[in-house]
């Protein structure tokens, strides 16, 4: 399952208590949630300063430490999830 599908299912599960994702008649809703997931990913494509700073902090140029892409991804997403909804 790709990231768009995972996000769409998570949004659906959070917001929709009346339908099951797998119901055949839920296809219009599934389409909406997939579109919403894509919109959300587009909106967060550019990280904010806190996310960039956290990723930069992972790399210690003096110790020649190079984090993996996965470590950078997790760090940036964790910072975004911890930010207040101001």
């Amino acid at each position: 399952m790709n990231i768009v599908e995972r996000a769409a299912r998570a949004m659906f599960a959070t917001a929709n208590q009346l339908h099951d994702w797998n119901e055949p008649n839920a296809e219009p809703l599934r389409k909406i949630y997939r579109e919403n997931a894509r919109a959300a990913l587009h909106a967060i494509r550019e990280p904010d300063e806190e996310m960039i700073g956290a990723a930069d902090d992972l790399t210690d140029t003096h110790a020649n430490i190079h984090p993996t892409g996965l470590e950078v991804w997790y760090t940036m997403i964790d910072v975004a999830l911890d930010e207040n909804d101001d």
Side-chain angles (χ1 to χ4, degrees):
M1 181 180 322
N2 67 35
I3 195 167
V4 171
E5 187 74 7
R6 287 194 325 256
R9 287 175 183 236
M11 290 177 190
F12 182 94
T14 301
N16 196 328
Q17 303 298 319
L18 300 177
H19 298 281
D20 181 282
W21 180 266
N22 295 314
E23 288 178 14
N25 62 348
E27 183 54 33
L29 290 173
R30 289 191 294 266
K31 182 178 178 186
I32 290 168
Y33 281 98
R34 287 183 187 113
E35 290 170 359
N36 288 343
R38 283 187 181 84
L41 288 169
H42 281 289
I44 65 169
R45 187 171 186 272
E46 295 297 324
D48 61 30
E49 291 180 24
E50 290 81 12
M51 294 170 71
I52 294 169
D56 287 345
D57 288 347
L58 286 178
T59 304
D60 182 346
T61 55
H62 300 290
N64 202 24
I65 297 172
H66 303 286
T68 66
L70 187 59
E71 290 169 323
V72 172
W73 173 261
Y74 284 157
T75 298
M76 293 175 82
I77 295 299
D78 288 346
V79 166
L81 290 171
D82 288 341
E83 291 177 350
N84 293 329
D85 294 333
D86 303 287

